[in-house]
Amino acid sequence: MRIVNILEIKKLNFIYRKKKEPTNILSFPFERPKHIKSTFLGDLVICLKIIQKESKLQKKTIEAHLAHIIIHGTLHLIGYTHDNFYNAQIMQSIEIKNMIQLGYKNPYLI
């Protein structure tokens, strides 16, 4: 996991997703060669400044929002997407379950 500033996350978001705006997290899954045994999932790149701003806007603690974003990014590492309504519902239900198991509230209830 790497924490970066807004300029760097914006640049990475453009390079890898062709989006011109910054984002709170990017996930880079590890494409393991067949001959290598590893449990490494990949990398997460987080912009803490954006997490802080979002936390304030959503009236959440930075800790709770960061936990949610890390869970969200990790789900992307293992193949989950939110590219349509059905996939978004699946991903959100897993995020909610994990957040509650960690002692946090449902992150989608503001």
Side-chain angles (χ1 to χ4, degrees):
M1 178 170 38
R2 188 161 162 234
I3 297 176
V4 298
N5 62 32
I6 293 174
L7 185 62
E8 187 167 356
I9 199 95
K10 184 177 179 179
K11 180 179 176 183
L12 291 170
N13 203 24
F14 182 74
I15 291 169
Y16 292 100
R17 299 177 65 222
K18 302 302 181 230
K19 297 193 177 196
K20 293 183 180 182
E21 64 276 347
T23 187
N24 52 19
I25 190 167
L26 290 169
S27 300
F28 296 95
F30 176 55
E31 296 180 18
R32 182 180 55 83
K34 290 180 182 180
H35 66 281
I36 294 178
K37 292 183 180 181
S38 174
T39 57
F40 181 64
L41 298 176
D43 287 319
L44 299 176
V45 178
I46 297 171
C47 182
L48 193 55
K49 287 288 185 192
I50 292 176
I51 299 294
Q52 291 168 332
K53 287 180 186 179
E54 290 174 344
S55 297
K56 197 173 197 176
L57 285 171
Q58 298 172 18
K59 296 179 175 49
K60 298 176 183 177
T61 65
I62 292 170
E63 178 185 334
H65 190 44
L66 189 57
H68 175 222
I69 294 306
I70 290 171
I71 290 168
H72 181 90
T74 302
L75 289 174
H76 279 307
L77 291 178
I78 59 175
Y80 286 91
T81 66
H82 45 83
D83 57 347
N84 62 49
F85 181 79
Y86 177 75
N87 288 341
Q89 292 298 314
I90 291 170
M91 195 166 169
Q92 287 178 7
S93 69
I94 296 169
E95 290 169 12
I96 293 165
K97 179 181 174 186
N98 280 273
M99 288 293 288
I100 290 170
Q101 286 177 338
L102 291 172
Y104 297 105
K105 296 179 182 177
N106 178 338
Y108 293 99
L109 298 178
I110 297 177

